[in-house]
Amino acid sequence: MEKKIFLGLTIFIILGYFGWYLFVDSVQQRELQLAETELNTIAAKLNKARSAQMNLQSIQKKYEEDQKRLIRERTRFLNKNELSIVTKKLKFFSSKYKIKLLDFSPGLDSYFGVSPEEKIVSLPIDIMVEGYYLNIGKFLEHWKDLPFYMIPNGVELKRADPDDNMLHAIISASLYTWNE
């Protein structure tokens, strides 16, 4: 009889364990898997959000740098009433390269007849300088360092004196300004 009770209890415990496993543990396992899946989804979203935030910060930083650069570039376009600044800057700039600024003549007749819809206008300018060949070349090469946009279109070189190596250069250029 004790064997029957022991066998009955053993079968009851085994059936109880399988019943518990089938009805309780398997449900908890499914819920655990669903929770892990949801946790992984949330973790993936969090990682995407972190990378997006880092990208946003780098994009904002780049945007701010571009805005500063645009403001700096905007100041290189002069207004029509600031042409005297060009003469002063060119005189200083030419002396830096040991060149003498002889003449500065903007073509104002075509400049003031420009349509008001055009925001950036090209002002034709003829500049006459005197100096040695290499100095004139260095002067032209460094026009990109000027605080305004002026682009050389052509250069005509003549000797200032037949017995001297000094040259007169007539530089045709375009000065870009705001049309306000």
Side-chain angles (χ1 to χ4, degrees):
M1 170 114 164
E2 291 178 6
K3 283 185 179 183
K4 287 184 182 183
I5 293 176
F6 178 72
L7 190 60
L9 282 175
T10 305
I11 291 175
F12 178 73
I13 289 175
I14 291 174
L15 287 177
Y17 173 75
F18 282 120
W20 172 82
Y21 179 77
L22 286 175
F23 296 111
V24 177
D25 190 47
S26 63
V27 172
Q28 288 179 347
Q29 288 294 329
R30 272 189 253 120
E31 287 178 3
L32 181 62
Q33 286 177 343
L34 288 174
E36 284 179 355
T37 305
E38 191 176 328
L39 182 63
N40 290 338
T41 304
I42 291 171
K45 287 180 182 179
L46 180 64
N47 286 337
K48 286 180 183 179
R50 282 184 186 152
S51 66
Q53 184 178 17
M54 289 175 23
N55 287 341
L56 179 63
Q57 289 172 350
S58 66
I59 289 170
Q60 283 177 334
K61 185 176 179 182
K62 186 179 181 318
Y63 175 76
E64 289 169 1
E65 289 170 0
D66 286 345
Q67 287 296 350
K68 288 176 186 175
R69 187 182 55 79
L70 278 173
I71 290 169
R72 193 172 50 247
E73 292 298 319
R74 165 65 168 95
T75 60
R76 291 189 70 189
F77 289 100
L78 300 175
N79 288 326
K80 288 181 181 181
N81 56 358
E82 296 176 328
L83 293 179
S84 62
I85 294 173
V86 175
T87 308
K88 290 177 187 174
K89 296 283 184 180
L90 273 179
K91 194 167 195 168
F92 174 76
F93 195 71
S94 63
S95 68
K96 183 178 173 183
Y97 292 98
K98 299 175 184 159
I99 291 177
K100 185 177 178 183
L101 182 64
L102 300 176
D103 188 22
F104 176 82
S105 54
L108 296 175
D109 52 341
S110 65
Y111 184 63
F112 288 107
V114 174
S115 152
E117 290 88 34
E118 294 183 46
K119 293 299 178 196
I120 297 176
V121 178
S122 170
L123 171 63
I125 294 177
D126 288 328
I127 302 168
M128 181 183 252
V129 294
E130 181 180 79
Y132 292 106
Y133 184 81
L134 287 177
N135 293 346
I136 292 171
K138 288 178 185 176
F139 172 69
L140 288 171
E141 180 182 350
H142 290 93
W143 271 19
K144 65 183 181 334
D145 300 332
L146 286 168
F148 42 82
Y149 282 115
M150 191 159 62
I151 303 197
N153 296 327
V155 177
E156 182 182 325
L157 296 173
K158 295 181 186 175
R159 277 195 162 179
D161 184 23
D163 298 329
D164 193 13
N165 286 334
M166 188 68 64
L167 298 173
H168 279 177
I170 299 172
I171 305 166
S172 300
S174 296
L175 174 68
Y176 291 93
T177 64
W178 283 113
N179 186 21
E180 296 180 322

